Amino acid sequence: MFVEELIIDGFKSYAARTHITGWDHEFNAITGLNGSGKSNILDAICFVLGIRNYKLLRANNMQDLIYKRGQAGITKASVTVVFRNNDRKTSPLGYEDCKQISLTRQIMVGGKNKYMINGHTAQEQAVANMLQSVQLSINNPHFLIMQGKITQVLNMHPPEILAMIEEAAGTRMFEERKDKAQKTMSKKDKKIEEISAILTEEITPKLDKLRHEKQAYLEYQKVEIELDRLRRLVVAYDYTKCEESLNNSNSSMASGRARLDEMAVQLETIKAEIANIAKSKAKTEEKRRAEMSKSGEFKTLQAQIDELSKELVRIKTQSDLKTASIKEEQAAKSKLVASKGKFESELAKRATSFEKQMSKYTQEKQQYDEKAKDVTQLEELLQSLTTGVASDEGREGGFMQQLQEAKKE
Protein backbone atom coordinates (compact mmCIF):
# COMPACT_ATOMS: atom_id res chain seq x y z
CA MET A 1 0.00 0.00 0.00
CA PHE A 2 1.65 3.24 -1.24
CA VAL A 3 0.72 6.95 -1.21
CA GLU A 4 -0.65 8.21 -4.54
CA GLU A 5 -2.23 11.57 -3.71
CA LEU A 6 -2.33 14.10 -0.88
CA ILE A 7 -4.99 16.80 -0.72
CA ILE A 8 -4.62 19.62 1.84
CA ASP A 9 -7.33 22.23 2.39
CA GLY A 10 -7.21 24.84 5.17
CA PHE A 11 -4.51 23.01 7.13
CA LYS A 12 -1.92 25.24 8.81
CA SER A 13 -0.28 27.42 6.10
CA TYR A 14 -2.29 25.88 3.21
CA ALA A 15 -5.30 28.17 2.96
CA ALA A 16 -6.20 27.12 -0.57
CA ARG A 17 -6.88 23.55 -1.65
CA THR A 18 -3.53 21.91 -2.57
CA HIS A 19 -3.40 18.64 -4.52
CA ILE A 20 -0.05 16.78 -4.54
CA THR A 21 0.43 13.81 -6.91
CA GLY A 22 3.27 11.87 -8.49
CA TRP A 23 4.51 10.13 -5.38
CA ASP A 24 7.19 7.46 -5.79
CA HIS A 25 6.58 4.12 -4.08
CA GLU A 26 10.21 3.80 -2.92
CA PHE A 27 11.61 7.21 -2.01
CA ASN A 28 10.20 10.73 -1.59
CA ALA A 29 11.83 13.94 -0.40
CA ILE A 30 10.35 17.41 0.21
CA THR A 31 12.56 20.35 -0.73
CA GLY A 32 12.03 24.10 -0.84
CA LEU A 33 12.88 27.45 0.68
CA ASN A 34 12.58 28.21 4.34
CA GLY A 35 8.95 28.96 5.24
CA SER A 36 7.55 27.41 2.07
CA GLY A 37 5.55 24.76 4.03
CA LYS A 38 7.75 21.66 3.76
CA SER A 39 7.20 20.58 7.36
CA ASN A 40 3.45 21.21 7.06
CA ILE A 41 3.18 18.50 4.39
CA LEU A 42 4.66 15.93 6.79
CA ASP A 43 2.43 17.33 9.55
CA ALA A 44 -0.58 16.89 7.23
CA ILE A 45 0.32 13.23 6.62
CA CYS A 46 0.71 12.61 10.37
CA PHE A 47 -2.54 14.47 11.00
CA VAL A 48 -4.62 12.40 8.58
CA LEU A 49 -3.13 9.17 9.94
CA GLY A 50 -4.62 10.04 13.36
CA ILE A 51 -1.78 11.43 15.48
CA ARG A 52 -2.87 12.33 19.00
CA ASN A 53 0.20 14.23 20.26
CA TYR A 54 -0.27 17.67 18.70
CA LYS A 55 3.08 18.85 20.07
CA LEU A 56 4.76 16.72 17.38
CA LEU A 57 2.84 18.86 14.88
CA ARG A 58 4.10 22.02 16.60
CA ALA A 59 0.63 22.91 17.85
CA ASN A 60 -0.86 23.35 21.31
CA ASN A 61 -4.39 22.26 20.43
CA MET A 62 -6.55 21.20 17.51
CA GLN A 63 -7.57 24.75 16.57
CA ASP A 64 -3.92 25.68 15.91
CA LEU A 65 -4.03 23.29 12.91
CA ILE A 66 -6.65 25.44 11.10
CA TYR A 67 -5.38 28.22 8.88
CA LYS A 68 -4.78 31.28 11.12
CA ARG A 69 -6.79 29.55 13.87
CA GLY A 70 -10.01 30.05 11.91
CA GLN A 71 -9.82 33.87 12.01
CA ALA A 72 -9.36 34.39 8.26
CA GLY A 73 -12.79 33.09 7.20
CA ILE A 74 -11.62 29.46 7.04
CA THR A 75 -13.36 27.47 9.77
CA LYS A 76 -12.22 23.95 8.98
CA ALA A 77 -9.12 22.02 7.93
CA SER A 78 -9.21 18.86 5.85
CA VAL A 79 -6.48 16.46 4.73
CA THR A 80 -7.04 13.50 2.41
CA VAL A 81 -4.47 10.83 1.53
CA VAL A 82 -5.10 8.29 -1.25
CA PHE A 83 -3.28 4.92 -1.06
CA ARG A 84 -2.63 2.57 -3.96
CA ASN A 85 -3.79 -0.91 -2.88
CA ASN A 86 -2.79 -3.31 -5.64
CA ASP A 87 -1.20 -6.03 -3.49
CA ARG A 88 -3.96 -8.05 -1.77
CA LYS A 89 -1.42 -9.73 0.56
CA THR A 90 -0.46 -6.41 2.18
CA SER A 91 -3.97 -4.90 2.08
CA PRO A 92 -5.74 -3.89 5.28
CA LEU A 93 -8.29 -6.35 6.58
CA GLY A 94 -11.63 -5.90 4.82
CA TYR A 95 -10.24 -3.76 1.99
CA GLU A 96 -8.66 -6.43 -0.23
CA ASP A 97 -11.01 -5.65 -3.14
CA CYS A 98 -10.38 -1.88 -3.12
CA LYS A 99 -7.85 -0.68 -5.71
CA GLN A 100 -7.56 2.65 -3.89
CA ILE A 101 -8.17 3.57 -0.26
CA SER A 102 -9.07 7.17 0.51
CA LEU A 103 -8.59 8.35 4.11
CA THR A 104 -9.84 11.81 5.14
CA ARG A 105 -9.66 13.65 8.43
CA GLN A 106 -11.52 16.93 8.98
CA ILE A 107 -11.57 19.28 11.97
CA MET A 108 -13.69 22.36 12.57
CA VAL A 109 -13.55 25.39 14.82
CA GLY A 110 -15.02 24.31 18.13
CA GLY A 111 -13.25 20.93 18.27
CA LYS A 112 -15.40 18.75 16.00
CA ASN A 113 -13.34 15.91 14.49
CA LYS A 114 -14.43 13.56 11.69
CA TYR A 115 -12.85 10.64 9.83
CA MET A 116 -13.90 9.18 6.47
CA ILE A 117 -12.76 6.03 4.66
CA ASN A 118 -13.57 5.93 0.94
CA GLY A 119 -16.08 8.75 1.44
CA HIS A 120 -17.94 7.04 4.34
CA THR A 121 -17.82 8.33 7.91
CA ALA A 122 -15.78 6.09 10.20
CA GLN A 123 -14.79 6.04 13.85
CA GLU A 124 -11.28 6.85 14.98
CA GLN A 125 -10.81 3.33 16.35
CA ALA A 126 -11.81 1.81 13.00
CA VAL A 127 -9.17 3.98 11.26
CA ALA A 128 -6.54 2.97 13.84
CA ASN A 129 -7.39 -0.75 13.42
CA MET A 130 -7.12 -0.47 9.63
CA LEU A 131 -3.70 1.17 9.83
CA GLN A 132 -2.43 -1.19 12.54
CA SER A 133 -3.36 -4.18 10.38
CA VAL A 134 -0.61 -3.05 7.93
CA GLN A 135 1.84 -2.11 10.73
CA LEU A 136 1.18 1.61 10.20
CA SER A 137 0.63 3.22 13.63
CA ILE A 138 1.21 6.96 13.67
CA ASN A 139 1.07 6.99 17.47
CA ASN A 140 4.09 4.65 17.61
CA PRO A 141 6.86 6.76 19.20
CA HIS A 142 9.30 5.41 16.58
CA PHE A 143 7.13 6.19 13.58
CA LEU A 144 8.88 9.56 13.04
CA ILE A 145 12.66 9.78 13.30
CA MET A 146 13.45 13.33 14.38
CA GLN A 147 16.86 15.01 14.76
CA GLY A 148 18.90 13.42 17.53
CA LYS A 149 16.82 10.24 17.49
CA ILE A 150 19.66 8.14 15.97
CA THR A 151 22.00 9.06 18.82
CA GLN A 152 19.29 8.23 21.34
CA VAL A 153 18.75 4.81 19.75
CA LEU A 154 22.48 4.03 19.85
CA ASN A 155 22.57 4.79 23.58
CA MET A 156 19.53 2.62 24.41
CA HIS A 157 19.71 -0.37 26.77
CA PRO A 158 18.65 -3.82 25.56
CA PRO A 159 15.13 -3.67 27.14
CA GLU A 160 14.55 -0.29 25.48
CA ILE A 161 15.81 -1.65 22.14
CA LEU A 162 13.46 -4.64 22.51
CA ALA A 163 10.55 -2.29 23.22
CA MET A 164 11.45 -0.21 20.17
CA ILE A 165 11.58 -3.32 17.97
CA GLU A 166 8.21 -4.47 19.32
CA GLU A 167 6.73 -1.06 18.59
CA ALA A 168 8.19 -1.05 15.09
CA ALA A 169 7.07 -4.62 14.37
CA GLY A 170 3.55 -3.92 15.58
CA THR A 171 3.53 -6.60 18.30
CA ARG A 172 3.19 -3.97 20.99
CA MET A 173 -0.40 -3.48 19.94
CA PHE A 174 -1.23 -7.10 20.76
CA GLU A 175 0.57 -6.85 24.11
CA GLU A 176 -1.58 -3.83 24.95
CA ARG A 177 -4.71 -5.72 23.93
CA LYS A 178 -3.59 -8.66 26.06
CA ASP A 179 -3.04 -6.40 29.08
CA LYS A 180 -6.40 -4.76 28.47
CA ALA A 181 -8.09 -8.18 28.24
CA GLN A 182 -6.41 -9.32 31.47
CA LYS A 183 -7.55 -6.17 33.26
CA THR A 184 -11.06 -6.72 31.94
CA MET A 185 -10.95 -10.34 33.15
CA SER A 186 -9.77 -9.19 36.58
CA LYS A 187 -12.61 -6.68 36.75
CA LYS A 188 -15.10 -9.36 35.68
CA ASP A 189 -13.75 -11.81 38.29
CA LYS A 190 -14.02 -9.14 40.97
CA LYS A 191 -17.52 -8.30 39.85
CA ILE A 192 -18.45 -12.01 39.93
CA GLU A 193 -17.13 -12.27 43.49
CA GLU A 194 -19.11 -9.17 44.52
CA ILE A 195 -22.29 -10.53 42.92
CA SER A 196 -21.74 -13.95 44.50
CA ALA A 197 -21.29 -12.29 47.90
CA ILE A 198 -24.46 -10.25 47.38
CA LEU A 199 -26.32 -13.39 46.34
CA THR A 200 -25.08 -15.32 49.38
CA GLU A 201 -25.46 -12.59 51.99
CA GLU A 202 -28.47 -10.58 50.86
CA ILE A 203 -30.49 -11.97 47.98
CA THR A 204 -30.59 -15.68 48.94
CA PRO A 205 -31.79 -15.07 52.56
CA LYS A 206 -34.30 -12.52 51.32
CA LEU A 207 -35.47 -14.91 48.64
CA ASP A 208 -35.87 -17.72 51.18
CA LYS A 209 -37.88 -15.39 53.37
CA LEU A 210 -40.00 -14.38 50.40
CA ARG A 211 -40.54 -18.04 49.51
CA HIS A 212 -41.79 -18.75 53.06
CA GLU A 213 -43.98 -15.66 52.96
CA LYS A 214 -45.27 -16.69 49.56
CA GLN A 215 -46.11 -20.18 50.84
CA ALA A 216 -47.88 -18.74 53.90
CA TYR A 217 -49.70 -16.24 51.72
CA LEU A 218 -50.79 -18.98 49.32
CA GLU A 219 -52.09 -21.02 52.25
CA TYR A 220 -53.89 -17.98 53.58
CA GLN A 221 -55.35 -17.35 50.13
CA LYS A 222 -56.57 -20.94 49.91
CA VAL A 223 -58.24 -20.71 53.34
CA GLU A 224 -59.69 -17.30 52.54
CA ILE A 225 -61.03 -18.48 49.18
CA GLU A 226 -62.57 -21.57 50.80
CA LEU A 227 -64.09 -19.41 53.54
CA ASP A 228 -65.53 -17.02 50.98
CA ARG A 229 -66.90 -19.96 49.03
CA LEU A 230 -68.58 -21.37 52.13
CA ARG A 231 -69.93 -17.96 53.07
CA ARG A 232 -71.39 -17.51 49.62
CA LEU A 233 -72.79 -21.05 49.82
CA VAL A 234 -74.48 -20.27 53.17
CA VAL A 235 -75.87 -17.01 51.82
CA ALA A 236 -77.15 -18.77 48.71
CA TYR A 237 -78.69 -21.54 50.86
CA ASP A 238 -80.43 -18.98 53.12
CA TYR A 239 -81.56 -17.05 50.07
CA THR A 240 -83.03 -20.22 48.53
CA LYS A 241 -84.76 -21.17 51.78
CA CYS A 242 -86.26 -17.69 52.15
CA GLU A 243 -87.42 -17.78 48.56
CA GLU A 244 -89.02 -21.20 49.08
CA SER A 245 -90.72 -19.99 52.28
CA LEU A 246 -91.98 -16.93 50.46
CA ASN A 247 -93.36 -19.09 47.64
CA ASN A 248 -95.03 -21.42 50.18
CA SER A 249 -96.51 -18.41 51.98
CA ASN A 250 -97.86 -17.08 48.70
CA SER A 251 -99.42 -20.49 47.97
CA SER A 252 -100.95 -20.72 51.46
CA MET A 253 -102.27 -17.19 51.19
CA ALA A 254 -103.82 -17.95 47.80
CA SER A 255 -105.49 -21.11 49.09
CA GLY A 256 -106.74 -19.24 52.21
CA ARG A 257 -108.11 -16.48 50.00
CA ALA A 258 -109.94 -19.13 47.91
CA ARG A 259 -111.39 -20.72 51.03
CA LEU A 260 -112.43 -17.29 52.31
CA ASP A 261 -114.22 -16.54 49.06
CA GLU A 262 -115.94 -19.93 49.20
CA MET A 263 -117.10 -19.34 52.80
CA ALA A 264 -118.35 -15.88 51.85
CA VAL A 265 -120.50 -17.48 49.12
CA GLN A 266 -121.77 -20.04 51.62
CA LEU A 267 -122.61 -17.24 54.09
CA GLU A 268 -124.63 -15.42 51.44
CA THR A 269 -126.48 -18.63 50.68
CA ILE A 270 -127.26 -19.19 54.37
CA LYS A 271 -128.45 -15.60 54.73
CA ALA A 272 -130.78 -16.12 51.75
CA GLU A 273 -132.09 -19.34 53.32
CA ILE A 274 -132.68 -17.52 56.63
CA ALA A 275 -134.61 -14.80 54.82
CA ASN A 276 -136.76 -17.41 53.05
CA ILE A 277 -137.40 -19.20 56.34
CA ALA A 278 -138.39 -15.91 57.98
CA LYS A 279 -140.84 -15.27 55.15
CA SER A 280 -142.22 -18.79 55.46
CA LYS A 281 -142.57 -18.29 59.21
CA ALA A 282 -144.46 -15.06 58.73
CA LYS A 283 -146.77 -16.71 56.25
CA THR A 284 -147.27 -19.64 58.56
CA GLU A 285 -148.07 -17.35 61.50
CA GLU A 286 -150.65 -15.55 59.44
CA LYS A 287 -152.05 -18.81 58.24
CA ARG A 288 -152.06 -20.11 61.83
CA ARG A 289 -153.92 -17.08 63.10
CA ALA A 290 -156.45 -17.40 60.28
CA GLU A 291 -157.06 -21.07 60.97
CA MET A 292 -156.79 -21.12 64.76
CA SER A 293 -160.42 -21.70 65.01
CA LYS A 294 -160.44 -24.61 62.67
CA SER A 295 -160.24 -28.05 64.18
CA GLY A 296 -157.49 -30.61 63.63
CA GLU A 297 -155.43 -28.39 61.42
CA PHE A 298 -154.12 -26.25 64.27
CA LYS A 299 -152.08 -29.04 65.80
CA THR A 300 -150.64 -29.91 62.43
CA LEU A 301 -149.64 -26.37 61.81
CA GLN A 302 -148.22 -26.11 65.33
CA ALA A 303 -146.06 -29.18 64.65
CA GLN A 304 -144.85 -27.65 61.41
CA ILE A 305 -144.02 -24.44 63.24
CA ASP A 306 -141.96 -26.35 65.79
CA GLU A 307 -140.08 -28.16 63.05
CA LEU A 308 -139.44 -24.93 61.21
CA SER A 309 -138.20 -23.31 64.46
CA LYS A 310 -135.74 -26.17 64.96
CA GLU A 311 -134.58 -25.86 61.37
CA LEU A 312 -134.13 -22.12 61.88
CA VAL A 313 -132.01 -22.69 64.99
CA ARG A 314 -129.88 -25.24 63.12
CA ILE A 315 -129.31 -22.91 60.20
CA LYS A 316 -128.47 -20.00 62.53
CA THR A 317 -125.95 -22.17 64.34
CA GLN A 318 -124.30 -23.09 61.02
CA SER A 319 -124.23 -19.39 60.11
CA ASP A 320 -122.46 -18.55 63.38
CA LEU A 321 -119.91 -21.31 62.78
CA LYS A 322 -119.22 -20.11 59.24
CA THR A 323 -118.79 -16.53 60.50
CA ALA A 324 -116.29 -17.69 63.13
CA SER A 325 -114.41 -19.71 60.51
CA ILE A 326 -114.27 -16.66 58.23
CA LYS A 327 -112.78 -14.60 61.07
CA GLU A 328 -110.17 -17.29 61.72
CA GLU A 329 -109.26 -17.41 58.03
CA GLN A 330 -108.92 -13.60 57.97
CA ALA A 331 -106.61 -13.76 61.01
CA ALA A 332 -104.53 -16.48 59.31
CA LYS A 333 -104.39 -14.31 56.19
CA SER A 334 -103.07 -11.36 58.23
CA LYS A 335 -100.40 -13.58 59.76
CA LEU A 336 -99.37 -14.83 56.30
CA VAL A 337 -99.12 -11.25 54.98
CA ALA A 338 -96.91 -10.29 57.95
CA SER A 339 -94.77 -13.42 57.42
CA LYS A 340 -94.47 -12.54 53.73
CA GLY A 341 -93.13 -9.05 54.61
CA LYS A 342 -90.66 -10.55 57.04
CA PHE A 343 -89.39 -13.04 54.47
CA GLU A 344 -89.05 -10.33 51.83
CA SER A 345 -87.00 -8.17 54.26
CA GLU A 346 -84.78 -11.15 55.15
CA LEU A 347 -84.35 -11.93 51.45
CA ALA A 348 -83.22 -8.34 50.76
CA LYS A 349 -80.71 -8.55 53.64
CA ARG A 350 -79.32 -11.86 52.32
CA ALA A 351 -79.00 -10.39 48.81
CA THR A 352 -77.09 -7.36 50.20
CA SER A 353 -74.78 -9.64 52.20
CA PHE A 354 -74.19 -11.76 49.12
CA GLU A 355 -73.15 -8.70 47.06
CA LYS A 356 -70.77 -7.56 49.83
CA GLN A 357 -69.14 -10.99 49.95
CA MET A 358 -68.71 -10.96 46.16
CA SER A 359 -67.10 -7.46 46.28
CA LYS A 360 -64.72 -8.58 49.04
CA TYR A 361 -63.84 -11.69 47.07
CA THR A 362 -63.02 -9.57 43.97
CA GLN A 363 -60.70 -7.30 46.01
CA GLU A 364 -58.93 -10.27 47.64
CA LYS A 365 -58.50 -11.89 44.21
CA GLN A 366 -56.91 -8.69 42.82
CA GLN A 367 -54.51 -8.48 45.80
CA TYR A 368 -53.58 -12.10 45.30
CA ASP A 369 -52.81 -11.49 41.59
CA GLU A 370 -50.58 -8.49 42.49
CA LYS A 371 -48.67 -10.51 45.12
CA ALA A 372 -48.20 -13.37 42.64
CA LYS A 373 -46.88 -10.88 40.05
CA ASP A 374 -44.35 -9.44 42.58
CA VAL A 375 -43.14 -12.94 43.45
CA THR A 376 -42.73 -13.75 39.74
CA GLN A 377 -40.68 -10.57 39.18
CA LEU A 378 -38.41 -11.43 42.14
CA GLU A 379 -37.86 -14.94 40.80
CA GLU A 380 -36.99 -13.50 37.36
CA LEU A 381 -34.53 -11.10 39.05
CA LEU A 382 -32.89 -14.00 40.86
CA GLN A 383 -32.75 -15.99 37.63
CA SER A 384 -31.10 -13.08 35.77
CA LEU A 385 -28.55 -12.60 38.60
CA THR A 386 -27.83 -16.34 38.69
CA THR A 387 -27.39 -16.82 34.94
CA GLY A 388 -25.53 -13.67 33.91
CA VAL A 389 -25.07 -9.91 33.87
CA ALA A 390 -24.85 -7.31 31.11
CA SER A 391 -21.39 -6.58 29.70
CA ASP A 392 -19.92 -3.18 28.88
CA GLU A 393 -20.98 -3.45 25.23
CA GLY A 394 -24.65 -4.07 26.14
CA ARG A 395 -24.62 -7.82 25.40
CA GLU A 396 -26.10 -10.40 27.72
CA GLY A 397 -24.75 -13.82 28.61
CA GLY A 398 -23.34 -15.97 31.36
CA PHE A 399 -20.15 -15.15 33.26
CA MET A 400 -18.28 -18.09 31.73
CA GLN A 401 -19.29 -16.98 28.22
CA GLN A 402 -18.12 -13.39 28.87
CA LEU A 403 -14.84 -14.72 30.35
CA GLN A 404 -14.17 -16.89 27.28
CA GLU A 405 -14.93 -13.96 24.94
CA ALA A 406 -12.49 -11.75 26.88
CA LYS A 407 -9.79 -14.48 26.63
CA LYS A 408 -10.38 -14.78 22.87
CA GLU A 409 -9.85 -11.01 22.50
Side-chain angles (χ1 to χ4, degrees), residues 74-189:
I74 298 175
T75 59
K76 66 179 181 179
S78 175
V79 178
T80 301
V81 61
V82 179
F83 294 101
R84 185 170 65 252
N85 188 35
N86 293 330
D87 191 359
R88 293 173 60 90
K89 295 180 180 180
T90 59
S91 296
L93 295 176
Y95 297 90
E96 290 83 357
D97 297 331
C98 298
K99 298 298 182 181
Q100 287 185 335
I101 299 176
S102 173
L103 177 61
T104 302
R105 184 180 182 184
Q106 186 181 83
I107 59 173
M108 298 181 183
V109 175
K112 186 177 181 180
N113 190 14
K114 182 171 71 172
Y115 286 89
M116 288 187 292
I117 300 176
N118 290 339
H120 299 285
T121 303
Q123 295 181 353
E124 182 179 1
Q125 188 60 40
V127 175
N129 291 338
M130 181 191 72
L131 296 176
Q132 286 177 0
S133 65
V134 292
Q135 287 78 42
L136 185 60
S137 176
I138 188 63
N139 294 302
N140 187 333
H142 308 293
F143 183 79
L144 293 175
I145 306 299
M146 308 298 289
Q147 293 181 357
K149 187 68 175 179
I150 301 300
T151 304
Q152 182 181 357
V153 171
L154 293 176
N155 294 328
M156 282 183 177
H157 296 288
E160 295 175 346
I161 296 174
L162 178 61
M164 181 186 69
I165 294 173
E166 289 178 351
E167 289 283 354
T171 58
R172 188 71 176 179
M173 173 186 65
F174 299 102
E175 291 292 335
E176 291 176 355
R177 290 185 179 180
K178 179 182 176 181
D179 295 339
K180 184 178 179 181
Q182 289 178 347
K183 290 179 180 179
T184 303
M185 291 169 61
S186 299
K187 290 180 180 179
K188 294 293 183 182
D189 292 338

Side-chain angles (χ1 to χ4, degrees), residues 212-359:
H212 292 303
E213 291 180 356
K214 175 187 174 183
Q215 189 66 27
Y217 181 73
L218 290 176
E219 293 294 332
Y220 169 76
Q221 286 293 325
K222 288 180 181 179
V223 173
E224 189 68 20
I225 290 171
E226 183 66 19
L227 182 60
D228 288 339
R229 188 185 70 82
L230 294 175
R231 286 175 180 170
R232 287 186 282 111
L233 186 61
V234 170
V235 171
Y237 177 77
D238 293 340
Y239 178 83
T240 304
K241 283 295 182 182
C242 290
E243 190 173 12
E244 290 178 357
S245 300
L246 182 61
N247 293 333
N248 294 332
S249 299
N250 291 332
S251 300
S252 300
M253 187 171 62
S255 61
R257 188 180 291 112
R259 290 179 59 191
L260 186 63
D261 293 340
E262 183 181 354
M263 289 181 179
V265 172
Q266 292 178 1
L267 181 61
E268 293 295 331
T269 304
I270 292 170
K271 286 181 179 180
E273 291 179 357
I274 291 171
N276 292 331
I277 292 171
K279 290 178 181 180
S280 299
K281 180 181 178 182
K283 289 179 182 181
T284 303
E285 286 290 337
E286 290 177 359
K287 191 174 181 180
R288 184 177 65 82
R289 290 190 191 98
E291 295 180 357
M292 282 184 68
S293 58
K294 293 181 180 181
S295 59
E297 293 180 358
F298 177 76
K299 292 182 179 180
T300 304
L301 292 173
Q302 186 66 38
Q304 291 179 356
I305 289 170
D306 294 338
E307 290 179 0
L308 290 174
S309 297
K310 291 179 181 178
E311 184 67 20
L312 179 62
V313 171
R314 184 182 64 79
I315 292 173
K316 188 176 181 181
T317 302
Q318 290 180 356
S319 176
D320 293 338
L321 291 174
K322 294 293 184 181
T323 302
S325 178
I326 288 171
K327 290 181 180 179
E328 290 178 357
E329 292 293 336
Q330 288 178 346
K333 177 183 176 182
S334 299
K335 290 182 180 180
L336 289 174
V337 170
S339 178
K340 176 184 177 183
K342 181 179 178 181
F343 283 134
E344 287 179 348
S345 176
E346 185 68 20
L347 182 62
K349 290 181 181 179
R350 294 294 182 177
T352 303
S353 176
F354 180 74
E355 291 177 356
K356 289 182 180 178
Q357 292 295 331
M358 285 300 295
S359 176

Side-chain angles (χ1 to χ4, degrees), residues 52-64:
R52 297 191 185 95
N53 188 3
Y54 295 112
K55 291 183 179 180
L56 296 177
L57 303 180
R58 295 164 298 149
N60 294 325
N61 52 48
M62 189 181 294
Q63 192 166 345
D64 289 343

Side-chain angles (χ1 to χ4, degrees), residues 4-42:
E4 275 192 346
E5 302 177 19
L6 181 66
I7 303 171
I8 307 174
D9 186 7
F11 182 80
K12 295 186 81 170
S13 61
Y14 292 90
R17 181 182 176 86
T18 304
H19 191 184
I20 304 173
T21 59
W23 295 76
D24 188 78
H25 68 280
E26 291 184 356
F27 179 79
N28 291 281
I30 304 172
T31 61
L33 300 175
N34 291 336
S36 60
K38 301 184 297 297
S39 300
N40 291 340
I41 294 177
L42 181 60

Side-chain angles (χ1 to χ4, degrees), residues 369-381:
D369 293 338
E370 291 177 356
K371 293 289 185 179
K373 184 177 179 182
D374 293 340
V375 172
T376 304
Q377 291 178 352
L378 289 172
E379 289 180 348
E380 290 178 355
L381 175 61

